[in-house]
Amino acid sequence: MIKTDSCLQCVRCARTYDIGELRYTCDCGGILDVKRDLSRIDGIRLKALWEERWGMKRGIEASGVWRYRELILDAPDDKIVTRQEGNTRLYPAGSAGVWAGLSRLYFKHEGENPTGSFKDRGMTCGASAARLFNAKTVACASTGNTSASMASYAAVSGMKSVIFIPEGKIAYGKLAQALAYGGKTLQIEGNFDDAMTLVQEVCRELGIYLLNSINPFRIEGQKAIAFETLQQLDWQVPDWFVIPGGNLGNSSALGKALLELHELGILSRIPKIAVIQAAGANPLYTMWTQHTPFKAVKKPETIATAIKIGNPVSWEKSLRAVTWSKGTVEQVTEQEIMDAKAKLDAAGIGAEPASCCSLAGAKKLADKGVIASGETVIGILTGNILKDPDAVIGYHKDTLGSHGIKGTFANKPVQIPPTLDAVKKALGVS
Ligand SMILES: *Cc1c(COP(=O)(O)O)cnc(C)c1O
Ligand SMILES: [Zn+2]
């Protein structure tokens, strides 16, 4: 057995708390990390163990998160809530790579998780932690995917779930899932940031377990994206990871995972992390480029609803990840997001709008010469193409004018009478 001694540690003041203490923040207001004593772990043995588990047909370690359980959560099997998440594909970018000007661009498709987003990786760990704390009810504020995931994991493990979503503007596929899996769904008159504030108060007052990414165990599960990608690359270190940034939990997890692998001697160096924000919801980008203190964006706006967040809870951890990795933060416009999406979709891969910040950002950084054309780049695709059909149809029918978006690469549907002649005309053949 590999021993996993851990505690909770504040990212702001470094104060530590017992791992078994139910808390999400430090007394100073900082958020918490799960801190492990990695000096007791033999990296070579650990890597060999993970290789042995690769391709397991059943059991907890067949999950693409619990395969790496030594660095995920120290929990007995009967407390683990898993839907065999992870095990997602790593695709060559194909024509999308040509468009971006990158010859070694790959996409890790987290939209292939059980509920269609990377949130399942954090949720399997968070839901298992909830069971360790004997929670009966779990809650989250969500732009959609967290709620879809939480409702599913609560349902499979017999917990109740309460979801706080911002009014309007949550993608249809996500709302549908939350309702379908049986989550009690409360629509808040306000935006995501308002919902986030409220859910923390509700959890504190009503003794409900909070499953937003402020929960340090969510971040631990999300680290598995990095572990699995590196394993798919036979532990050859890529030059870059490019990842969308909303509440900034995922980029935080990526950075923590890569740092841990490096500390264990499993990686020879740390790849650079580029966090990509929408220009209308860009507090990390502003901090990074202007060297200013963190300042929330009051009215975040973007068609990529999954990252429409002005006051991200994990900005300190995300900034740390970018700094550790000597990476960067970039922003992309609405038009850049949706044009990148059209190219990613047309390459046959496809993902929801927020995910396409990875391609839009990779292209922008390649155009600027920050990423060299021959570097190995891993773009994280965070959510499934079917999550937000409205955005897809809007783009291809060129009806997103109110968002200031043109259907540059639109593939318009054509209406014709049911005759051979009309088909010939439409196809341009005689
Ligand atoms: C949650 C989510 C994001 C943003 O991830 P953060 O951890 O909040 O930065 C991006 N894309 C999709 C599809 C998501 O569901
Ligand atoms: Zn503190």
Side-chain angles (χ1 to χ4, degrees):
M1 258 316 265
I2 293 157
K3 191 104 187 66
T4 55
D5 296 305
S6 33
C7 65
L8 298 173
Q9 184 172 43
C10 175
V11 300
R12 206 172 281 172
C13 76
R15 179 169 172 189
T16 60
Y17 298 92
D18 191 278
I19 192 82
E21 190 174 334
L22 179 58
R23 60 159 63 233
Y24 313 101
T25 53
C26 178
D27 287 344
C28 84
I31 55 172
L32 303 170
D33 256 337
V34 173
K35 186 85 184 160
R36 279 192 182 73
D37 183 3
L38 296 178
S39 68
R40 290 167 178 244
I41 300 178
D42 178 343
I44 309 235
R45 268 186 51 203
L46 187 59
K47 192 171 104 178
L49 180 61
W50 293 348
E51 286 296 327
E52 261 171 51
R53 289 177 187 157
W54 187 262
M56 276 178 65
K57 290 178 183 158
R58 63 188 75 80
I60 285 167
E61 288 123 33
S63 149
V65 171
W66 298 100
R67 179 183 307 125
Y68 312 100
R69 63 192 295 177
E70 292 74 17
L71 298 188
I72 300 291
L73 178 71
D74 199 358
D77 286 7
D78 65 341
K79 292 289 185 193
I80 292 177
V81 186
T82 173
R83 288 199 55 203
Q84 305 167 48
E85 49 291 309
N87 296 310
T88 61
R89 297 178 189 87
L90 183 65
Y91 296 104
S95 57
V98 176
W99 180 70
L102 291 165
S103 56
R104 292 169 189 269
L105 177 62
Y106 298 84
F107 289 113
K108 178 67 171 159
H109 209 323
E110 290 298 301
E112 295 176 350
N113 270 292
T115 76
S117 84
F118 77 83
K119 299 298 196 301
D120 293 340
R121 297 210 189 233
M123 205 52 74
T124 183
C125 190
S128 302
R131 298 205 52 215
L132 283 174
F133 285 111
N134 295 314
K136 302 277 178 289
T137 308
V138 291
C140 70
S142 178
T143 60
N145 281 331
T146 301
S147 57
S149 183
M150 188 185 76
S152 166
Y153 280 80
V156 297
S157 59
M159 295 187 288
K160 289 199 181 77
S161 62
V162 187
I163 291 157
F164 295 79
I165 55 173
E167 69 181 337
K169 302 275 169 67
I170 126 159
Y172 238 52
K174 305 176 188 183
L175 179 59
Q177 283 179 292
L179 300 175
Y181 293 132
K184 180 88 189 163
T185 304
L186 307 175
Q187 202 142 10
I188 303 306
E189 293 164 11
N191 63 22
F192 172 83
D193 300 306
D194 301 321
M196 190 65 227
T197 306
L198 180 61
V199 74
Q200 291 184 69
E201 185 190 350
V202 168
C203 285
R204 205 169 43 238
E205 293 299 319
L206 305 184
I208 294 174
Y209 192 69
L210 179 61
L211 276 178
N212 276 98
S213 57
I214 194 172
N215 183 315
F217 300 108
R218 279 269 315 271
I219 302 295
E220 291 304 287
Q222 282 167 213
K223 292 189 312 192
I225 300 175
F227 299 156
E228 195 173 272
T229 304
L230 265 301
Q231 192 164 12
Q232 285 169 309
L233 293 169
D234 280 322
W235 310 102
Q236 297 297 306
V237 187
D239 297 299
W240 288 89
F241 274 94
V242 185
I243 186 169
N247 216 10
L248 299 174
N250 210 19
S251 47
S252 300
L254 178 61
K256 188 168 189 281
L258 295 171
L259 188 80
E260 288 177 357
L261 291 179
H262 186 250
E263 274 186 39
L264 288 167
I266 295 173
L267 296 190
S268 55
R269 61 187 168 85
I270 299 180
K272 296 190 180 84
I273 296 173
V275 178
I276 314 299
Q277 295 204 294
N282 64 353
L284 192 73
Y285 173 79
T286 304
M287 269 188 100
W288 181 257
T289 50
Q290 322 265 313
H291 310 284
T292 44
F294 175 79
K295 188 163 167 282
V297 169
K298 284 265 154 47
K299 285 199 159 53
E301 213 27 87
T302 173
I303 190 165
T305 49
I307 53 170
K308 191 177 154 184
I309 296 174
N311 190 16
V313 295
S314 294
W315 67 266
E316 282 157 302
K317 289 183 179 177
S318 182
L319 193 62
R320 188 180 66 174
V322 174
T323 308
W324 278 339
S325 75
K326 303 189 170 58
T328 193
V329 185
E330 187 52 270
Q331 68 173 5
V332 287
T333 64
E334 298 293 277
Q335 188 70 48
E336 286 168 338
I337 292 172
M338 291 308 285
D339 285 347
K341 176 169 160 54
K343 290 296 181 182
L344 183 86
D345 295 353
I349 300 172
E352 70 163 280
S355 309
C356 300
C357 285
S358 295
L359 175 58
K363 177 173 163 49
K364 199 162 199 174
L365 292 169
D367 288 346
K368 287 183 173 178
V370 176
I371 302 182
S373 61
E375 286 191 296
T376 302
V377 182
I378 310 295
I380 307 292
L381 300 180
T382 45
N384 193 285
I385 188 174
L386 295 175
K387 289 278 190 174
D388 192 352
D390 289 333
V392 184
I393 302 293
Y395 183 89
H396 289 289
K397 288 191 166 176
D398 201 4
T399 58
L400 297 179
S402 61
H403 295 266
I405 298 167
K406 289 200 287 282
T408 320
F409 307 114
N411 176 24
K412 282 190 187 155
V414 185
Q415 207 157 8
I416 57 162
T419 66
L420 181 59
D421 272 350
V423 173
K424 281 183 178 170
K425 202 168 153 224
L427 297 180
V429 295
S430 48

